[in-house]
Amino acid sequence: MAAGDAIAEHVVTFGRVLREAGLEIGPGRLTDAMRALEAVDLARRDDVYFALRQTLVSRREELALFDRAFDAWFLRAPVFPPVREPSEPLLRVVEGAEGAPEDGDDDEPADDVLELGASGRELLRDKDFAELGDDELVRLRELIGRIARTRPLRRSRRTRRDPLGESLDVRGMIRRSLRTGGDPVDRPLRARKEVPRRLVLLCDVSGSMDSYARALLLFLHAAVGAGRGVEAFAFGTRLSRLTPDLATRDPMTALARCTEEVVDWGSGTRIGASLREFNEAYGRRGLSRGAIVVIVSDGWEREDPALVGREMARLARAAYAVIWVNPLKGNPDYQPLAGGMRAALPFVDRFLAGHNLRSLEELATVLAGIERRHAA
């Protein structure tokens, strides 16, 4: 193996380690890290450390996690788990368990100690959505909401003042030159703004997806609430636009409203016909042009799979990227044998699982890392 390939493999694997530790590491950051390593002396530990930290860390609270991962991966140093002081609510619950409560309130649930010990949420990250109860779904709302706030970005035609920009701010230079008698001493720069790219979400609510639809609609609700430029649709035997129904703060209210509005909820699946309706009714308005389209479905088509292939081809020509999320892919033995899924795959840029919270985190990472068209 060449030296460059070995370094790339180390950096990619180190990125996975950081992602497991909670950092948002996408393909773009890994590319920046490789470029930074090309500009430093790899024999110097400090150069490698600061090159990776500068490109892979974006928040102050991530520094400690990065340092622990760097020591463990590159220096092979023993890393011990951090010592966490018990929070005040945890102490209060434990004291109440040892003796009688002082205020006479014995309505505290017995499993609060486990939940406050930070193990409950971690277990829910890997639990299949189909196995979630109503209480667990409520506990996941906040976590799903945080994940869905991740938006893909694009470079706008508008510019802003930036000391590292690539173009000269002529108007600003002329205005500042008035202070120096007309000499352009100060030459400000401008750079193009980064704004959220349009995001289109199409969720299958047919009978075969019923066990996953509730959790995935919570993801759609949070994405619609993240800002402008997000459109959400549901389809079973026909297409239904959900964006107005999801434009409410309470996700459970939005979920109930969607189940009332979608008359074909839990019915059959007509993926091809639904995609054709989307392309003809909304694609012609430019809704999918330059957008990232996320389709959430198990790929079971009741009608002709060839129609799915034709409509997916139309969609891929207009979209910036097409991502297909299939909850069944979470099974290690899954094979895309369904007719609709086989017909759609040639036009899909990324094929992801969507069966638990961890898979939605992977989806958010993919969305944040798309930098070129059809390069998800």
Side-chain angles (χ1 to χ4, degrees):
M1 180 182 295
D5 295 337
I7 295 173
E9 183 178 355
H10 270 288
V11 172
V12 171
T13 309
F14 182 58
R16 294 174 184 169
V17 173
L18 293 178
R19 192 180 301 121
E20 291 295 329
L23 277 69
E24 298 178 358
I25 306 297
R29 290 192 180 182
L30 293 177
T31 302
D32 293 340
M34 291 297 302
R35 292 174 179 171
L37 291 177
E38 292 176 357
V40 301
D41 184 4
L42 297 180
R44 294 176 55 88
R45 172 185 174 276
D46 290 343
D47 289 359
V48 174
Y49 169 79
F50 285 107
L52 293 176
R53 197 180 83 167
Q54 184 70 20
T55 53
L56 299 179
V57 177
S58 60
R59 293 193 295 268
R60 184 190 300 271
E61 55 269 21
E62 296 176 349
L63 289 175
L65 293 173
F66 176 84
D67 290 342
R68 289 166 53 81
F70 183 87
D71 292 343
W73 182 253
F74 287 99
L75 305 182
R76 297 297 187 262
V79 178
F80 300 97
V83 178
R84 298 185 179 180
E85 296 294 334
S87 60
E88 183 177 351
L90 180 58
L91 292 175
R92 178 178 61 80
V93 173
V94 172
E95 291 173 358
E98 293 178 354
E102 295 180 0
D103 56 356
D105 185 8
D106 56 354
D107 293 331
E108 293 286 343
D111 57 347
D112 276 358
V113 179
L114 294 177
E115 181 64 27
L116 291 174
S119 61
R121 285 188 174 181
E122 190 63 27
L123 291 175
L124 286 178
R125 290 182 67 199
D126 296 313
K127 190 169 184 179
D128 197 287
F129 287 148
E131 302 173 359
L132 292 178
D134 292 338
D135 295 340
E136 293 173 322
L137 192 63
V138 171
R139 289 158 60 190
L140 280 181
R141 288 188 309 182
E142 181 182 354
L143 298 177
I144 292 177
R146 292 177 184 177
I147 296 172
R149 294 191 189 105
T150 303
R151 293 284 303 277
L153 300 177
R154 66 175 179 87
R155 297 187 69 187
S156 172
R157 295 182 181 274
R158 295 181 178 272
T159 60
R160 58 179 174 82
R161 187 74 56 80
D162 188 343
L164 302 178
E166 61 272 5
S167 60
L168 183 65
D169 184 3
V170 178
R171 294 181 60 182
M173 182 184 66
I174 295 175
R175 186 164 50 250
R176 294 186 181 187
S177 67
L178 298 178
R179 308 172 187 172
T180 57
D183 294 331
V185 177
D186 191 0
R187 300 182 180 183
L189 301 176
R190 299 186 71 85
R192 292 171 64 177
K193 292 181 179 180
E194 283 193 340
V195 297
R197 183 176 293 278
R198 187 184 299 116
L199 181 64
V200 179
L201 304 164
L202 296 98
C203 184
D204 187 348
V205 294
S206 61
S208 60
M209 285 284 295
D210 189 56
S211 55
Y212 296 97
R214 293 183 304 160
L216 294 171
L217 278 177
L218 289 178
F219 181 84
L220 265 65
H221 171 267
V224 170
R228 300 176 57 185
V230 181
E231 288 286 341
F233 297 84
F235 65 89
T237 58
R238 69 178 194 176
L239 188 72
S240 301
R241 183 169 178 261
L242 297 182
T243 308
D245 300 309
L246 294 174
T248 178
R249 290 188 175 182
D250 185 12
M252 291 305 176
T253 302
L255 186 61
R257 186 181 300 177
C258 289
T259 55
E260 293 177 0
E261 293 293 329
V262 181
V263 296
D264 56 342
W265 187 291
S267 61
T269 312
R270 300 175 63 216
I271 302 176
S274 300
L275 290 176
R276 180 175 57 191
E277 183 177 353
F278 174 80
N279 287 329
E280 294 180 353
Y282 299 96
R284 290 182 179 178
R285 304 177 191 175
L287 187 63
S288 58
R289 185 176 304 157
I292 294 179
V293 180
V294 179
I295 303 174
V296 185
S297 174
D298 54 9
W300 290 99
E301 171 60 67
R302 192 178 68 178
E303 297 182 346
D304 184 12
L307 178 60
V308 178
R310 291 194 297 270
E311 296 304 324
M312 283 294 298
R314 291 178 59 186
L315 185 62
R317 285 195 294 268
Y320 190 79
V322 179
I323 300 173
W324 194 293
V325 177
N326 189 335
L328 301 182
K329 193 175 183 290
N331 188 333
D333 299 327
Y334 170 77
Q335 295 291 334
L337 302 178
M341 195 71 259
R342 290 202 312 269
L345 277 179
F347 310 101
V348 173
D349 298 303
R350 283 296 294 271
F351 185 39
L352 304 175
H355 63 297
N356 59 14
L357 194 64
R358 193 181 296 275
S359 62
L360 293 185
E361 292 174 349
E362 182 183 0
L363 170 62
T365 302
V366 171
L367 291 176
I370 300 177
E371 298 179 347
R372 299 185 306 276
R373 189 165 186 255
H374 294 307

